[in-house]
Amino acid sequence: MKKKKTKYSPDMPKMLYRFFLDRNEDGSAPSFAKFARSIGCTTEDVEEFRRHKEFDRAYREAKEIRRDYLIDQALCKRYDPSFVKYLISEENSSGNEGEEDSSLSVVITVCDL
């Protein structure tokens, strides 16, 4: 039996934003795949929702929240800095066909004092 496709609703930008903020409190890394599963859809559906201006804005803010979370975890030595750098570089390089990359490069160095 084919699963019914999740349709976009005007409250989804707020749901996305809240999901990424609340994820930081439980200690797990926020992701768009986890968000998609939480609302019963796929990451492909989430990408389609970006056609809506408000959702696209929430999506870009969620990427910033995720990026900050990962950097904080690397600085606290909870996550490997090299792996965080890889995740951030992968995120910046995927899905940007035809888009100019306006992100800054990130260098994470952990020093034992």
Side-chain angles (χ1 to χ4, degrees), residues 54-65:
E54 290 301 316
F55 189 85
D56 186 57
R57 180 179 175 157
Y59 184 93
R60 288 182 280 119
E61 288 179 23
K63 279 182 75 170
E64 290 175 11
I65 292 167

Side-chain angles (χ1 to χ4, degrees), residues 51-74:
R51 297 179 307 195
H52 302 273
K53 184 179 178 180
E54 290 301 316
F55 189 85
D56 186 57
R57 180 179 175 157
Y59 184 93
R60 288 182 280 119
E61 288 179 23
K63 279 182 75 170
E64 290 175 11
I65 292 167
R66 180 176 187 273
R67 181 177 182 271
D68 287 345
Y69 177 82
L70 292 171
I71 290 170
D72 289 346
Q73 296 304 305

Side-chain angles (χ1 to χ4, degrees), residues 14-112:
K14 187 175 183 177
M15 290 169 56
L16 176 65
Y17 188 68
R18 272 295 4 131
F19 179 86
F20 273 73
L21 287 177
D22 292 345
R23 275 318 239 200
N24 289 337
E25 294 172 6
D26 75 4
S28 68
S31 74
F32 293 101
K34 290 175 186 173
F35 171 73
R37 282 191 303 274
S38 77
I39 62 169
C41 69
T42 66
T43 54
E44 186 176 291
D45 296 327
V46 171
E47 287 295 328
E48 285 181 31
F49 297 156
R50 292 185 69 190
R51 297 179 307 195
H52 302 273
K53 184 179 178 180
E54 290 301 316
F55 189 85
D56 186 57
R57 180 179 175 157
Y59 184 93
R60 288 182 280 119
E61 288 179 23
K63 279 182 75 170
E64 290 175 11
I65 292 167
R66 180 176 187 273
R67 181 177 182 271
D68 287 345
Y69 177 82
L70 292 171
I71 290 170
D72 289 346
Q73 296 304 305
L75 291 173
C76 294
K77 298 183 182 181
R78 290 187 190 109
Y79 293 178
D80 179 81
S82 298
F83 185 63
V84 168
K85 184 177 179 181
Y86 169 77
L87 288 175
I88 291 171
S89 67
E90 279 296 302
E91 186 174 271
N92 288 336
S93 66
S94 66
N96 289 336
E97 293 85 15
E99 276 184 35
E100 187 176 319
D101 185 10
S102 62
S103 63
L104 300 173
S105 66
V106 175
V107 177
I108 300 173
T109 305
V110 177
C111 301
D112 291 321

